[in-house]
Amino acid sequence: MSAGSAIAVLTGDIIGSRKLSAGRLDEVRAALDGAARGIAEWRSGLLLGAPEYFRGDGWQLALAEPALGLRAALAIRAVLRALPGQPDTRVAIGVGLKTALAESLARSTGEAFVRSGHALEAMKRGRYLGVALDFHPPLLPPYVGMIDALVRRWTRRQAEVVQLRLMPDPPTQSAVGEALGERQQTIARIERGARLAVLIEAIETFERLFPGQEA
């Protein structure tokens, strides 16, 4: 598959949604919308339409650049885990040939949509992250498992920092410190605690699977 002919579809569901009040669920959805708007600013034309919601706790969005699928999925989780109570979401990333999109993602079809949906359904209990491609790099499953384990250990403050530093062209530690009212040294310490350097290395390894599209 050539990178230029593919898209990434992210399908997810909010963890523990049945225990959330209607107002709290609306807050989480609003945060998802905010995360999608932030991702749209990474690249012109990156986000294909608005996020869709279904079944109460389900959601979906599509990206024109599959290489950025993992980075986007983690950015979404970082935004949620920075909220009070640290809500979270499962996310399945499906990559497939680009097809004509309907007016809404819910009515769209194609390889990426099928792979993303199936990956979410097949996700093992206790796992919150999955990836489905048309090729199978042997180290991808353990990479995904490692990334998921790191994300689930984030504190709220770590998630606040990580969501800013996950951008393809991230602000400096000093700029993040100014935005969050912290010293640069504090931001560096928070990043070490979040294992951000390891996470970025894993993300960049994923992005190299799509030549010509690396962030």
Side-chain angles (χ1 to χ4, degrees):
M1 177 190 300
S2 65
S5 65
I7 64 171
V9 172
L10 278 58
T11 306
D13 53 23
I14 299 165
I15 303 299
S17 60
R18 293 182 181 179
K19 298 179 181 179
L20 301 179
S21 67
R24 180 61 168 161
L25 185 58
D26 285 343
E27 290 177 2
V28 175
R29 284 181 168 180
L32 278 166
D33 284 337
R37 288 192 296 271
I39 291 167
E41 294 177 358
W42 292 357
R43 297 276 200 277
S44 176
L46 174 61
L47 197 64
L48 300 174
E52 292 278 351
Y53 295 96
F54 51 91
R55 291 198 322 267
D57 63 352
W59 60 270
Q60 191 170 68
L61 59 82
L63 305 176
E65 297 182 35
L68 293 174
L70 180 58
R71 192 181 291 265
L74 299 183
I76 289 169
R77 291 185 65 185
V79 168
L80 295 189
R81 292 188 60 81
L83 295 175
Q86 291 196 284
D88 207 340
T89 182
R90 298 195 304 165
V91 189
I93 306 159
V95 175
L97 293 174
K98 183 177 181 180
T99 55
L101 299 177
E103 291 184 3
S104 70
L105 295 181
R107 297 182 180 180
S108 299
T109 59
E111 291 178 350
F113 290 92
V114 172
R115 288 191 178 117
S116 182
H118 286 176
L120 186 67
E121 292 174 358
M123 201 173 293
K124 294 180 179 179
R125 185 178 179 84
R127 286 289 184 96
Y128 293 175
L129 184 65
V131 179
L133 312 176
D134 68 339
F135 54 98
H136 304 283
L139 291 179
L140 187 59
Y143 260 90
V144 171
M146 177 198 71
I147 293 169
D148 190 21
L150 289 177
V151 171
R152 293 173 66 176
R153 292 172 60 91
W154 287 341
T155 65
R156 282 188 64 195
R157 200 55 164 170
Q158 287 172 346
E160 287 177 334
V161 171
V162 169
Q163 66 176 288
L164 297 175
R165 295 279 284 164
L166 276 180
M167 299 176 185
D169 299 304
T172 64
Q173 289 180 342
S174 296
V176 171
E178 290 180 9
L180 299 179
E182 300 281 8
R183 300 168 61 221
Q184 180 273 326
Q185 293 89 338
T186 301
I187 297 300
R189 176 177 55 78
I190 292 172
E191 288 186 5
R192 289 194 297 272
R195 303 294 190 269
L196 182 60
V198 173
L199 186 63
I200 293 298
E201 182 177 356
I203 290 172
E204 291 176 347
T205 298
F206 178 84
E207 291 171 346
R208 285 194 289 273
L209 296 175
F210 304 90
Q213 281 202 358
E214 296 94 337

